[in-house]
Amino acid sequence: MDVQKEIKDFLQRHKTVGWLIGLMVGGFILQVLLLLVFALIDNKPAYQSVMYALTLPYSLKTWLTQPWSIITWPLFMAKIDPLRLLVNGLILFAFGRIHQQVLGELRTRRLVMLSVPLIGLLTIAFSSMFTFETTTIPTGVDKSVAIEMQADAPQVLEAAVYSAAIHPNHLHASGMIALIMVLVVSAITLVPNYPIQLFLFGQVRIVWVGVILLGIELMWAGFTTPLGIALIVGAVLGYLHVFLLKSGTDITEIIWSYYQDSKPKPKMTVKYGSAFPESKKPGSAKTERKSVITQDIIDDILDKINDKGYDSLTREEKELLFKASSQKEDEKKE
């Protein structure tokens, strides 16, 4: 099996969702490699310092010293957790594909690109309103002694309390789940009655799955932690995007109004003329239906739906798609 070809096919097939999953896996692999390298040189504090620099701080003052974290924050975890990576990937794959099918790949891509820095900046802004404990006192160490240790030699206590978790000044878990919640809430707001199949539960409406997922994530993260705030910001952004879209305002279109696809598709043309022998009656409804539609036309329409959503189709394109569907049904009956 050609792994490189399989990865390329996966990315081409699933586009934005595929790339997000690829970035998640890439960040996980990089974090594992960093942990192994610093474990070999027995320097765990250095590993934590690198993680601090790549994850999102709750303090504006801290963020100003590491502005790149506004982009890197979704890719790294508080601790290396393959199960968490798998769960995040499954949620993203399920809800992200629905979002792409309904609104098109282009809108999904723009929403993700907008959400990464916006969630980061809003999380920093709102988190600055709360006071978080910045140091965990080791078990068995008196608090007053620990404070004296920190005052006399901060690095001593800091080294003593390092663990696999990210410093409380930073998000405690992979920020990707906050980004995923944008797509989850957006999808359940768009199509709340969309049915999905769940193991043991059978067919369930997507709105209930999304609400339960958001509730579980918030209970796990806490409502006033940096990660909890990021989750709430992501959920509100997902809802707001669809709310404005239904009222005729696409915030992603406004921001990327200058954006054009790097590979513009040729203008679709409709070919007329019978592709069947003249012996068939020209007045036949089936003959007329088949004579208008070609596979190239249908492929162009499906590509447009994938890129920009069903609503982007013109009336003529919708009629052609309906005719093609009817044609397939007739062929099955024959």
Side-chain angles (χ1 to χ4, degrees):
M1 184 178 71
D2 189 344
V3 177
Q4 187 175 357
K5 184 178 181 299
E6 291 294 327
I7 293 174
K8 186 178 179 180
D9 290 343
F10 178 82
L11 295 177
Q12 288 179 342
R13 196 163 55 246
H14 300 293
K15 299 189 178 180
T16 297
V17 171
W19 277 103
L20 283 175
I21 292 174
L23 288 172
M24 284 172 57
V25 174
F28 178 81
I29 293 172
L30 177 59
Q31 191 169 350
V32 170
L33 292 176
L34 286 172
L35 181 61
L36 291 175
V37 168
F38 287 111
L40 288 174
I41 62 176
D42 195 22
N43 195 347
K44 187 178 285 187
Y47 166 75
Q48 294 295 333
S49 296
V50 173
M51 289 295 101
Y52 294 171
L54 294 174
T55 54
L56 192 70
Y58 77 84
S59 165
L60 178 61
K61 183 179 178 181
T62 305
W63 176 70
L64 290 174
T65 65
Q66 51 179 75
W68 57 84
S69 62
I70 204 71
I71 302 298
T72 60
W73 66 267
L75 304 179
F76 300 96
M77 297 183 175
K79 57 182 179 180
I80 295 174
D81 188 349
L83 180 60
R84 182 67 186 178
L85 178 73
L86 177 62
V87 171
N88 285 354
L90 290 173
I91 297 172
L92 173 59
F93 188 72
F95 285 86
R97 286 178 65 199
I98 294 171
H99 194 278
Q100 284 188 169
Q101 288 170 6
V102 178
L103 289 183
E105 195 274 334
L106 184 61
R107 276 186 176 144
T108 303
R109 186 197 322 161
R110 289 177 177 178
L111 181 61
V112 169
M113 292 172 64
L114 172 67
S115 298
V116 172
L118 190 57
I119 292 175
L121 290 173
L122 289 175
T123 298
I124 293 170
F126 289 124
S127 296
S128 298
M129 301 176 185
F130 297 90
T131 301
F132 300 105
E133 185 182 358
T134 58
T135 306
T136 303
I137 306 301
T139 304
V141 176
D142 184 80
K143 187 173 182 179
S144 59
V145 175
I147 293 173
E148 290 178 7
M149 287 171 61
Q150 191 173 22
D152 295 337
Q155 69 278 9
V156 175
L157 182 61
E158 190 177 20
V161 300
Y162 272 141
S163 65
I166 296 297
H167 194 278
N169 267 13
H170 296 65
L171 292 184
H172 276 247
S174 172
M176 183 61 77
I177 189 60
L179 184 58
I180 291 171
M181 279 302 150
V182 177
L183 297 178
V184 169
V185 174
S186 185
I188 66 176
T189 307
L190 276 168
V191 282
N193 295 323
Y194 190 99
I196 59 175
Q197 196 72 24
L198 290 181
F199 180 66
L200 296 178
F201 294 96
Q203 201 172 78
V204 182
R205 288 196 297 169
I206 191 177
V207 63
W208 299 118
V209 180
V211 168
I212 291 171
L213 280 175
L214 179 60
I216 291 173
E217 292 294 344
L218 283 172
M219 286 189 292
W220 175 75
F223 286 84
T224 57
T225 64
L227 180 58
I229 292 170
L231 285 167
I232 294 171
V233 170
V236 171
L237 182 60
Y239 174 79
L240 189 62
H241 172 241
V242 177
F243 177 80
L244 291 175
L245 197 60
K246 288 181 176 179
S247 65
T249 303
D250 185 352
I251 54 177
T252 64
E253 180 67 28
I254 293 172
I255 295 173
W256 277 282
S257 58
Y258 62 88
Y259 179 84
Q260 291 181 346
D261 282 332
S262 58
K263 295 182 180 179
K265 291 181 172 57
K267 188 176 180 181
M268 187 182 70
T269 57
V270 180
K271 299 177 182 178
Y272 294 91
S274 177
F276 298 90
E278 293 182 1
S279 57
K280 289 195 174 183
K281 293 182 180 180
S284 169
K286 291 182 182 179
T287 303
E288 290 177 3
R289 182 184 299 156
K290 293 180 181 179
S291 65
V292 174
I293 306 169
T294 67
Q295 187 59 44
D296 288 341
I297 293 173
I298 300 306
D299 289 342
D300 286 341
I301 294 174
L302 293 177
D303 286 341
K304 187 174 182 181
I305 293 174
N306 188 46
D307 286 339
K308 300 181 179 180
Y310 181 79
D311 291 340
S312 66
L313 297 183
T314 64
R315 181 179 178 181
E316 182 187 30
E317 289 166 344
K318 290 178 181 179
E319 288 176 354
L320 288 172
L321 194 61
F322 176 75
K323 287 179 181 179
S325 176
S326 300
Q327 178 179 312
K328 286 187 178 182
E329 291 295 326
D330 291 342
E331 288 174 354
K332 287 180 182 179
K333 292 177 181 178
E334 290 174 1

